Amino acid sequence: MEKTLKRIHPVSDPEATYFLRVSWEKDLGTGFDLLLSDCQCAWTGTVSESDISREAADIEMDREKYVEELRKALIAGEESAGKYNFVIS
């Protein structure tokens, strides 16, 4: 299983710091698990392969392109910094 940990500062509260851990087996397209923490609380979730396919279809985006955008937003390093915003609600 592969994992990444990323520090994020959501646009909804730029002074706050959250940590986002993403873990997956083969690639993001087969589904992944998320853990979001502000160091006081933690929230977890699972995104399935069918969830990914459904979301890509809902926004009328090619599935492979959608998975690539997920990769950039969730696990890419400095090359995607500043290109994606996070809102915590």
Side-chain angles (χ1 to χ4, degrees):
M1 177 172 278
E2 295 189 54
K3 295 179 184 177
T4 63
L5 181 63
K6 186 175 193 172
R7 182 186 345 224
I8 61 173
H9 300 280
V11 295
S12 54
D13 186 4
E15 299 300 315
T17 300
Y18 287 81
F19 294 92
L20 177 65
R21 186 186 76 189
V22 181
S23 51
W24 66 98
E25 286 294 330
K26 298 175 185 173
D27 64 56
L28 287 182
T30 60
F32 53 92
D33 294 318
L34 297 167
L35 179 124
L36 180 68
S37 176
D38 64 359
C39 295
Q40 294 180 15
C41 297
W43 304 268
T44 62
T46 299
V47 179
S48 69
E49 187 170 2
S50 62
D51 292 333
I52 293 167
S53 295
R54 185 174 34 261
E55 181 67 21
D58 286 350
I59 63 172
E60 298 178 352
M61 182 183 279
D62 174 72
R63 187 181 186 287
E64 295 307 313
K65 171 86 170 127
Y66 183 71
V67 170
E68 179 60 21
E69 291 299 318
L70 283 174
R71 188 194 67 74
K72 289 176 186 175
L74 298 176
I75 65 173
E78 293 299 315
E79 71 270 14
S80 68
K83 293 182 182 177
Y84 298 91
N85 294 318
F86 294 89
V87 175
I88 308 295
S89 60

